[in-house]
């Protein structure tokens, strides 16, 4: 191997280009099993972000099931999830363009099942006994009225459907008992989000297929229930955070019994429908995934002895756990493995990768492995983050130089930074820019108490933790305190804007569809999140003072550093005016500012050309602000008010 070349941080030439990332990377979504066949969704940037169902047969062949131009994606809750269900080779799916449900039998063309109306469907299950499917149903057909959510059944021949459960603001996770006699589901009401408080209900079917006697099994305003699941012998299981951790329970003979009391999380925040962290492989055995101190593990739980046995895997992130025919299939990733669909053979304990989200084969010398750090923050607490030091086998920095630091603030804000190989992070580290991916107070994976740190404190605790994480690295001498940037999307964009407005610490920033005006967000956003801010900030309009006090748009006079904004022009969650008002304010103040809007994009970018443009534009922006040369030419982005 050649001797590394000395070059300033930020100027290193990297094989991890934006073109490589978008041309050889897909998104992997919902996993489902149907007999011997495995199905999953692929989000393909090179096809305009189209979501395609792929089938893998036992002989190892993979084929696209979804014909063009169909796009398997539901807009229920805007974030979607649970967009298809499959049984005996027939698929029922939601098509993004019209939000109708379609039936696709084998290789036949998809046929519409639901009327052409402003209705959305998600989280379906097949009710074979009654020749129907059951879905979460979201009715947007009445202008000026908040969408109405229910559980409905739909005859397999199509039609308007029958309402099974109604009256509450939200529903999810309809699950049929093995004999088809009962239905379990989750429900919650404003202002709760599903990670705040949900209720688990069970109802008995009448002869006509409607629901009769129903009862609440668990949950309430201060208990979050996740993933109800029936065991093969008809015992209802679920995940609850009643002890402060999302742990496993069962409801048997009218009593709730804990199955695995552990300071770990078997649940995730339900941003999308159809999530699964555990699955039964026999009547008294389940395979489950849990996270402990930011790392996910796979384990086998004997539900009678309550013995939990770890299953060794090379993965640190695990999701969407499914089982059938003697195997478990799940999504997984690690610091050296991209998000993948993985199969575990229960008889041999052998793991096999069925599909990787990236076909890029990179030398380990270009990969930065994250270091989990815990650092001091406000009120004598500590917070968590993943630190990625610069790494490129071909380069070293001049003596005494410290790298620039890019602090990443994840979206949600009820979410978490992942350890899965992310080429979007390696794009930076392989060029000599350190990255700190912060799991600020309010993040998931560390218990309910940590998750509740953000209650009433959004725009404060998250900002403090991002600042203190960066300060921790500066004080350790790992990064350059004069070249600190912060970036984030959606809620992470809000944290970014708050950090740059209300703290004089970072020297530059990038906001991806970030929130600048909390009042406008409350008045304009969609139903699912329309009351989210009540727990994060306070009731509106009663605490309008707080909403204004924490909205960067009202305090642009405090801004003193360069900012770049990226925005989808069809974003219904954070509308474009949230970015455009900030751009106008910075322009008027004479601060360096750049604005990169994308026509046709919603909340999060899905098209290859836009993902590429955003990565390169952000890099170009920092190179101009921090004064480092780029190893490769990058399409410039116009930066207003930037002095030569």
């Amino acid at each position: 191997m050649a001797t590394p070349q000395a070059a300033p941080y930020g100027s290193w030439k990297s094989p991890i280009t934006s073109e490589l990332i978008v041309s050889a990377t897909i998104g992997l979504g919902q996993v489902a099993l149907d007999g011997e066949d495995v199905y999953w969704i692929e989000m393909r940037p090179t096809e305009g972000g189209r979501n395609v169902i792929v089938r893998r047969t036992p002989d190892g062949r993979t084929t696209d099931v979804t014909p063009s131009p169909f796009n398997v994606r539901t807009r229920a809750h805007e974030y979607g999830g649970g967009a298809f269900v499959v049984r005996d080779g027939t698929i029922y799916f939601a098509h993004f363009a019209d939000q109708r449900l379609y039936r696709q039998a084998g290789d036949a063309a998809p046929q519409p099942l639901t009327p052409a109306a402003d209705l959305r469907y998600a989280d379906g299950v097949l009710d074979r006994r009654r020749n129907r499917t059951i879905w979460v149903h979201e009715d947007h057909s009445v202008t000026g009225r908040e969408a109405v959510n229910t559980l409905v059944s739909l005859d397999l021949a199509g039609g308007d459907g029958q309402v099974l459960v109604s009256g509450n603001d939200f529903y999810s996770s309809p699950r049929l008992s093995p004999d088809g006699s009962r239905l379990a589901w989750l429900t919650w009401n404003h202002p709760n989000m599903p990670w705040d408080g949900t209720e688990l209900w069970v109802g008995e079917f009448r002869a006509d297929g409607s629901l009769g006697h129903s009862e609440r099994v668990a949950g309430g305003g201060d208990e979050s229930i996740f993933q109800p699941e029936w065991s093969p012998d008809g015992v209802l299981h679920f995940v609850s955070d009643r002890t402060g951790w999302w742990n496993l329970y069962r409801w048997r003979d009218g009593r709730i019994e804990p199955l695995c009391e552990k300071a770990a999380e078997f649940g995730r925040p339900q941003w999308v429908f159809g999530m699964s962290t555990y699955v039964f492989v026999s009547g008294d055995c389940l395979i489950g995934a849990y996270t402990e101190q930011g790392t996910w593990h796979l384990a086998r739980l004997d539900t009678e002895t309550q013995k939990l046995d770890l299953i060794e895997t090379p993965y640190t992130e695990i999701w969407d756990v499914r089982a059938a025919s003697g195997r478990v299939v799940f999504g997984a990733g690690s610091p050296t493995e991209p998000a993948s669909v993985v199969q575990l053979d229960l008889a041999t304990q052998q793991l096999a990768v069925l599909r990787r989200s990236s076909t890029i084969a990179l030398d380990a010398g270009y990969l930065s492995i994250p270091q989990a750090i815990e650092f001091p923050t406000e009120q004598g607490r500590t917070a968590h983050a993943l630190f990625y030091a610069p790494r490129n086998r071909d380069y070293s920095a001049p003596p005494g130089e410290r790298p620039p630091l890019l602090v990443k603030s994840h979206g949600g804000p009820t979410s978490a930074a992942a350890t899965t190989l992310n080429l979007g992070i390696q794009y930076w580290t392989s060029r000599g820019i350190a990255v700190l991916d912060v799991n600020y107070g309010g993040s998931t994976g560390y218990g309910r108490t940590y998750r509740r740190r953000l209650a009433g404190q959004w725009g404060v605790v998250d900002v403090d933790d991002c600042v203190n994480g960066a300060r921790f690295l500066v004080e350790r001498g790992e990064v350059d305190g004069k070249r600190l940037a912060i970036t984030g999307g959606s809620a992470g964009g809000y944290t970014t804007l708050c950090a740059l407005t209300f703290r004089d610490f970072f020297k530059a920033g990038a906001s991806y569809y970030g929130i600048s005006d909390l009042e406008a967000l409350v008045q304009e956003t969609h139903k699912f999140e329309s009351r989210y801010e009540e727990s994060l900030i306070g009731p509106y309009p009663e605490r309008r003072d707080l909403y204004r006090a924490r909205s960067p748009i009202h305090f642009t006079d405090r801004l003193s550093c360069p900012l770049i904004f990226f925005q989808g022009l069809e974003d219904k969650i954070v509308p474009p005016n949230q970015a455009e008002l900030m751009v106008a304010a910075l322009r008027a103040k004479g601060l360096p500012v750049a604005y990169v809007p994308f026509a046709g994009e919603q909340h999060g970018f899905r098209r290859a050309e836009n993902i590429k443009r955003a990565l390169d534009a952000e890099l170009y922006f920092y190179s101009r602000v921090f004064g480092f040369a780029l190893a490769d030419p990058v399409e410039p982005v116009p930066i207003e008010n930037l002095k030569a």
Side-chain angles (χ1 to χ4, degrees):
M1 182 181 294
T3 302
Q5 175 184 344
Y9 288 115
S11 67
W12 299 352
K13 185 178 180 62
S14 169
I16 307 173
T17 64
S18 59
E19 179 63 37
L20 184 71
I21 291 172
V22 298
S23 65
T25 302
I26 58 170
L28 290 174
Q30 180 183 349
V31 176
L33 277 66
D34 180 34
E36 296 291 327
D37 295 339
V38 182
Y39 293 77
W40 61 82
I41 284 180
E42 296 185 3
M43 190 283 288
R44 297 174 177 170
T46 56
E47 295 184 30
R50 190 168 78 96
N51 288 267
V52 178
I53 297 175
V54 176
R55 178 178 61 236
R56 186 182 193 273
T57 49
D59 59 6
R61 289 185 301 165
T62 60
T63 54
D64 288 0
V65 177
T66 311
S68 181
F70 284 96
N71 182 359
V72 183
R73 180 179 162 205
T74 174
R75 285 188 59 190
H77 286 186
E78 292 298 342
Y79 295 102
F84 78 95
V85 61
V86 57
R87 184 67 63 87
D88 298 331
T90 298
I91 301 173
Y92 305 86
F93 69 88
H95 174 40
F96 182 71
D98 58 15
Q99 289 300 293
R100 299 172 75 180
L101 287 177
Y102 286 77
R103 179 179 186 270
Q104 184 178 359
D107 296 326
Q111 300 298 317
L113 285 177
T114 54
D118 198 357
L119 308 172
R120 303 174 188 179
Y121 302 85
D123 220 359
V125 292
L126 208 70
D127 184 358
R128 275 183 162 177
R129 182 169 163 181
R130 300 168 187 87
N131 202 39
R132 64 184 185 176
T133 52
I134 296 172
W135 298 82
V136 174
H137 178 259
E138 196 172 271
D139 184 345
H140 292 256
S141 62
V142 179
T143 303
R145 181 193 71 182
E146 184 177 69
V148 175
N149 292 55
T150 55
L151 295 180
V152 301
S153 64
L154 296 169
D155 190 277
L156 293 184
D160 291 332
Q162 173 189 9
V163 175
L164 296 177
V165 185
S166 63
N168 286 350
D169 292 322
F170 300 100
Y171 295 93
S172 76
S173 313
R175 299 293 179 262
L176 278 168
S177 61
D179 63 3
S181 66
R182 293 178 293 171
L183 182 73
W185 68 90
L186 297 180
T187 184
W188 65 99
N189 286 305
H190 287 313
N192 272 344
M193 299 299 285
W195 45 84
D196 296 324
T198 50
E199 294 179 354
L200 171 59
W201 283 72
V202 172
E204 298 176 359
F205 285 112
R206 299 188 183 101
D208 65 357
S210 64
L211 277 172
H213 172 72
S214 300
E215 62 179 304
R216 182 174 66 87
V217 171
D222 297 314
E223 180 184 359
S224 173
I225 309 294
F226 173 87
Q227 194 191 342
E229 208 73 61
W230 299 91
S231 66
D233 55 354
V235 176
L236 183 62
H237 291 66
F238 59 94
V239 173
S240 166
D241 71 348
R242 57 177 53 197
T243 64
W245 297 90
W246 269 319
N247 282 182
L248 283 159
Y249 295 83
R250 69 179 165 210
W251 181 56
R252 187 165 65 174
D253 300 326
R255 298 191 310 274
I256 294 174
E257 303 170 353
L259 289 179
C260 184
E261 295 182 290
K262 189 175 180 63
E265 304 269 55
F266 286 82
R268 290 179 176 271
Q270 296 177 71
W271 281 105
V272 297
F273 290 100
M275 304 173 83
S276 173
T277 60
Y278 71 97
V279 66
F280 279 92
V281 294
S282 68
D284 58 3
C285 180
L286 63 82
I287 303 294
Y290 65 89
T291 180
E292 203 167 25
Q293 291 298 306
T295 298
W296 282 84
H297 307 274
L298 195 67
R300 178 183 289 101
L301 177 67
D302 185 312
T303 59
E304 293 309 311
T305 65
Q306 301 186 12
K307 186 173 185 293
L308 187 72
D309 293 317
L310 191 67
I311 298 172
E312 293 293 338
T313 80
Y315 303 108
T316 55
E317 295 282 337
I318 297 170
W319 64 92
D320 235 27
V321 183
R322 316 288 179 182
S325 305
R327 65 251 171 86
V328 177
V329 179
F330 52 93
S334 77
T336 57
E337 280 288 318
S340 304
V341 178
V342 178
Q343 178 174 285
L344 169 68
D345 186 302
L346 292 173
T348 65
Q349 297 296 297
Q350 294 297 305
L351 290 165
V353 176
L354 307 184
R355 180 69 161 118
R356 285 183 170 87
S357 61
S358 175
T359 56
I360 300 170
L362 290 169
D363 187 295
Y366 298 109
L367 297 183
S368 176
I369 304 301
Q371 172 193 354
I373 65 171
E374 192 171 355
F375 55 88
T377 188
E378 307 304 308
Q379 300 181 34
R381 297 168 165 171
T382 60
H384 302 271
L386 300 171
F387 176 56
Y388 295 81
R391 189 173 189 204
N392 184 320
R393 70 174 196 179
D394 302 327
Y395 291 91
S396 63
E401 186 183 358
R402 296 287 179 264
L405 174 68
L406 182 61
V407 171
K408 289 180 66 68
S409 173
H410 65 70
T414 309
S415 185
T419 54
T420 295
L421 175 62
N422 182 340
L423 295 181
I425 289 178
Q426 305 296 329
Y427 175 89
W428 300 103
T429 56
S430 60
R431 285 169 170 75
I433 298 172
V435 173
L436 184 69
D437 208 353
V438 184
N439 273 323
Y440 48 78
S443 300
T444 55
Y446 304 92
R448 187 180 180 99
T449 299
Y450 194 82
R451 194 165 80 238
R452 293 292 295 167
R453 279 191 192 179
L454 218 51
Q457 295 297 309
W458 191 30
V460 179
V461 165
D462 47 327
V463 174
D464 286 338
D465 290 352
C466 287
V467 168
N468 287 324
R471 180 178 287 122
F472 177 73
L473 294 177
V474 171
E475 291 174 351
R476 288 206 314 193
E478 306 226 28
V479 299
D480 184 352
K482 295 180 180 179
R483 293 188 292 174
L484 303 174
I486 183 169
T487 185
S490 189
Y494 170 67
T495 301
T496 293
L497 294 176
C498 284
L500 296 172
T501 303
F502 301 120
R503 306 286 193 279
D504 185 17
F505 185 76
F506 293 103
K507 311 306 179 185
S511 170
Y512 286 74
Y513 36 91
I515 302 150
S516 63
D517 186 342
L518 292 170
E519 281 190 281
L521 183 72
V522 169
Q523 294 160 5
E524 296 174 353
T525 198
H526 58 117
K527 179 184 177 181
F528 179 58
E529 291 185 271
S530 64
R531 306 280 291 278
Y532 188 17
E533 290 79 14
E534 288 195 21
S535 64
L536 295 171
I537 299 166
Y540 185 87
E542 293 87 343
R543 292 311 312 269
R544 185 169 181 259
D545 60 320
L546 277 180
Y547 283 74
R548 291 186 62 83
R550 295 190 198 163
S551 292
I553 191 62
H554 300 305
F555 301 93
T556 52
D557 59 305
R558 300 188 187 181
L559 282 166
S560 59
C561 69
L563 252 167
I564 185 169
F565 295 81
F566 301 91
Q567 180 69 45
L569 295 180
E570 293 184 11
D571 193 334
K572 303 299 183 185
I573 296 171
V574 180
N577 65 343
Q578 293 268 336
E580 290 160 2
L581 288 170
M582 288 293 290
V583 172
L586 274 96
R587 180 183 295 131
K589 194 178 179 185
L591 283 172
V593 62
Y595 180 45
V596 186
F598 295 117
E601 290 284 15
Q602 294 98 39
H603 197 65
F605 306 148
R606 291 174 169 81
R607 298 181 180 179
E609 64 272 21
N610 297 338
I611 297 170
K612 169 180 166 55
R613 176 60 171 150
L615 264 175
D616 288 342
E618 190 176 353
L619 175 64
Y620 176 84
F621 184 77
Y622 296 143
S623 74
R624 294 295 310 280
V625 171
F626 292 140
F628 56 82
L630 295 177
D632 295 303
V634 169
E635 181 185 354
V637 59
I639 306 173
E640 300 180 52
N641 302 323
L642 183 68
K643 297 176 182 178

